[in-house]
Amino acid sequence: MQQEMGVIATNKRELNLYYNPNSSVGMQTLAFVEASKFKVLAVDLTQTKVTGTQWAELAERLGKPIKALINTDHPDFIHAYGKNHDLESDDDWLKVLENNPKVVTQPILVHGDQALQVSNPAMVLEFLEKQ
């Protein structure tokens, strides 16, 4: 079976970072990757529309369900969907990400076919040492 090529373009000399500039972890992670030896493609989630297909691919690369990318305690999420939301399908979660990317839990760093959800910017150093 031939593997389908993903929609997120990557190469071995470049890091893709999906981040929210309003998050301290996002900005610290951006600083770490910009200080690395790699070229950086920084995707500011407040400025750039990430498609549902791209979100699904990021979740797959991380080995996580799509809903794991979303901070359901984020005030914007609670305002839009409530504490006791009834979102169940991946399509529901993808719509949340497409319409309100500020609720992404943490920055996502992609290098080649490897991906990391960054909860602590120091994780970036360990990730990059393995690359």
Side-chain angles (χ1 to χ4, degrees), residues 18-20 22-26 29 45 55 59 62 64-74 77 93 96-97 100-108 116-120:
Y18 298 82
Y19 75 104
N20 180 341
N22 300 321
S23 148
S24 61
V25 173
T29 301
L45 296 174
W55 283 120
L62 289 165
K64 296 183 175 189
I66 294 163
K67 68 181 181 181
L69 304 181
I70 297 169
N71 177 1
T72 57
D73 292 326
H74 191 285
F77 181 89
W93 292 108
V96 171
L97 288 168
N100 201 349
K102 288 189 283 183
V103 301
V104 171
T105 54
Q106 296 136 345
I108 300 170
L116 172 70
Q117 202 170 13
V118 182
S119 57
N120 175 343

Side-chain angles (χ1 to χ4, degrees), residues 89-104:
S89 75
D90 283 349
D91 285 341
D92 291 340
W93 292 108
L94 286 172
K95 284 183 181 116
V96 171
L97 288 168
E98 287 182 273
N99 296 321
N100 201 349
K102 288 189 283 183
V103 301
V104 171

Side-chain angles (χ1 to χ4, degrees), residues 11-30:
N11 82 51
K12 290 288 185 193
R13 293 187 305 268
E14 185 173 87
L15 298 171
N16 294 12
L17 177 65
Y18 298 82
Y19 75 104
N20 180 341
N22 300 321
S23 148
S24 61
V25 173
M27 292 308 292
Q28 290 170 20
T29 301
L30 178 62

Side-chain angles (χ1 to χ4, degrees), residues 9-16 38-41 110-112:
T10 59
N11 82 51
K12 290 288 185 193
R13 293 187 305 268
E14 185 173 87
L15 298 171
N16 294 12
F38 296 97
K39 181 180 172 194
V40 177
L41 173 64
V110 178
H111 182 246

